[in-house]
Structures are given as structure tokens and as C-alpha cells.
Amino acid sequence: MRRLFPVTDLTPADDEGEWSLDDLAEAYAYPEQAGPWLRANMVSTLDGAAQHDGRSQPISCASDMRIFGTLRGLADAVVVGAETVRLEGYRPARAREAFAARRAAAGQGPAPAIAVVSGSLDLDFSLPLFVSPLVPTLVLTGAGAPPDRIVAARQAGAEVVIAGEGSRVDPARAVRELAERGFKRLLTEGGPRMLGQFVAAGVLDELCLTVSPMLTAGDAQRIAGGPSVAVPERFGLASLLEEAGFLFTRYRRI
């Protein structure tokens, strides 16, 4: 059974069916605003693990992946860390007919761009993510990145964006640089270390968190790692969906 807890004016789901993509697109629509909006999409077990055996798929479910696809279908760009690209085997985002009219009306391209954050540019630029995307992949790096790796990225067809000094990418600058290129509806899918940097920099506007009804123990990462904030930042619950014990939550900055 699928249930919806009406924290906001979300469209009810059919108890016997699945949430339609239109329902989900309305439920997860970006707010109307002039500046960029950065949301994160993550999954966590009951005991706080963001992955199992290095991947998030084992703690996910079909509806989680449906929401995952919806969030991608609404975004201008998907921001992801280099480690996640390597571990999860990232491929280019694809155009989906279900979102074509909605994206066209919003002035978006056929699919979101993938923006990879990497200070060292230790990436395999022969992968489809770089050489055959529907829209060019962006690589966000620091001004001190190895020049030969910058050349390799550009030769593969990626757009290199300098978003920091030295080898470090500054989270706030990364968001600004993407917004200046027209990518204002931003989605990050991790990994935990990169999400932690966005949280610490105070630039995360929204967290879409799936709570998986599983226990894994072990030493898996949390959804956000790295530097801590001086004072915990409060977010408010915007919506809540439930299916088979999985909770699909959405929190926004207060």
C-alpha cells in the first residue's frame, strides 16, 4: 500500500497503483525564484548507512528509483562527486518522453547536464559520460588542477568550470558558476563527502531523503561527511510519502 501524508498539497496516490510521474513532478517541483536552488537526493538506512558494499542501490527500492528519475527529470544539472562517478558507474542523463513537454515549457534542454566535481580530475575521460552525453558534461575543478587533465577533459568534450582556488572546489562558487551558465535548478546525488561540503558551506536549500526500513550495521558512510557546522542548521518538513515502510521525505531550509 502507498500512502501520502499531506504535509503540503500533494496529489494523492492510488493505494493499488503507483504514483504517476505527473503527480511526482508536481510534488517535487522547484520553487519559483530568481536565484539557484540546490537540492540533494539521498537514501539512508534506519541506522544511518548511506550505502551497502559501497553502493546505494542495495538499500533502495523501485519507488525510490522512480522519485530519483523524477528529480533528474526536473533538474537543469545533476552535481556529483568524482568518487561517486567511479563507484556508481555514472552514465549520461537520458531524455525521457514523460518530462519532454515539462522541460520544454521551462526552457530546459532534453536532459539535465551532469556536473562532476573533482579537484584532481582523476577521471576516465573515455567513458560515455564524457564522450557521448546528450548534453555536454561539465567538470568543476580548482584553478590549480593539473593542466594536462584539464586538456584531457576538454578534448573529451567536457566543459571545464573553474570553481575554486588551488585544487579545491568551493561549494558556494560552484553553485554560482553553474547558475551563471543557466543551471539554476540543481540536484546533487552525492557522494556523502561532497554533500557534507555543501552543508558546511550553507548552500543546500533542500534535502530529499529516502529512509530505508533496513539495518546494516558496519561502518558505511552517513549521507553527509566531512567538516562539521558550528551550529546545526534547522530544516522544515515539506512533504512525506510512504510505501512498504520506505519513507520519502523532503525537507527545506527554514
Side-chain angles (χ1 to χ4, degrees), residues 3-192:
R3 288 181 288 174
L4 182 148
F5 298 81
V7 178
T8 59
D9 57 348
L10 304 182
T11 305
D14 180 352
D15 283 350
E16 301 303 322
E18 61 184 10
W19 297 303
S20 74
L21 291 178
D22 281 339
D23 286 340
L24 291 175
E26 290 297 327
Y28 286 93
Y30 280 83
E32 293 293 335
Q33 62 174 46
W37 183 269
L38 175 64
R39 68 169 31 146
N41 181 33
M42 301 291 283
V43 60
S44 171
T45 63
L46 295 175
D47 52 349
Q51 35 186 237
H52 184 65
D53 287 338
R55 299 179 66 245
S56 59
Q57 190 277 333
I59 61 173
S60 182
C61 68
S63 289
D64 183 43
M65 296 309 298
R66 192 170 179 81
I67 292 173
F68 172 93
T70 299
L71 296 179
R72 279 196 164 200
L74 298 174
D76 294 333
V78 177
V79 187
V80 62
E83 184 176 4
T84 297
V85 167
R86 291 188 288 264
L87 290 175
E88 301 278 356
Y90 259 62
R91 299 185 63 83
R94 59 188 178 90
R96 298 183 61 186
E97 182 61 32
F99 296 101
R102 190 180 294 269
R103 292 187 68 84
Q108 296 173 300
I114 304 295
V116 183
V117 176
S118 175
S120 67
L121 298 184
D122 181 16
L123 297 160
D124 182 354
F125 292 117
S126 68
L127 294 175
L129 176 61
F130 300 103
V131 299
S132 58
L134 186 62
V135 294
T137 293
L138 298 99
V139 177
L140 288 83
T141 192
D148 61 321
R149 300 305 294 161
I150 291 178
V151 171
R154 288 173 172 158
Q155 288 178 339
E159 179 181 351
V160 177
V161 178
I162 302 300
E165 302 302 322
S167 61
R168 180 178 176 274
V169 174
D170 177 75
R173 182 172 170 183
V175 171
R176 290 197 306 271
E177 293 286 348
L178 289 171
E180 288 175 3
R181 289 162 173 77
F183 302 107
K184 295 184 178 181
R185 304 173 188 89
L186 301 174
L187 168 67
T188 178
E189 298 169 350

Side-chain angles (χ1 to χ4, degrees), residues 1-3 5 19 43-46 59-61 63-64 209-215 240-249:
M1 176 179 290
R2 295 176 172 84
R3 288 181 288 174
F5 298 81
W19 297 303
V43 60
S44 171
T45 63
L46 295 175
I59 61 173
S60 182
C61 68
S63 289
D64 183 43
L209 175 64
T210 296
V211 180
S212 172
M214 301 180 188
L215 294 169
L240 175 63
L241 296 160
E242 184 272 344
E243 181 199 25
F246 283 84
L247 299 180
F248 307 100
T249 72

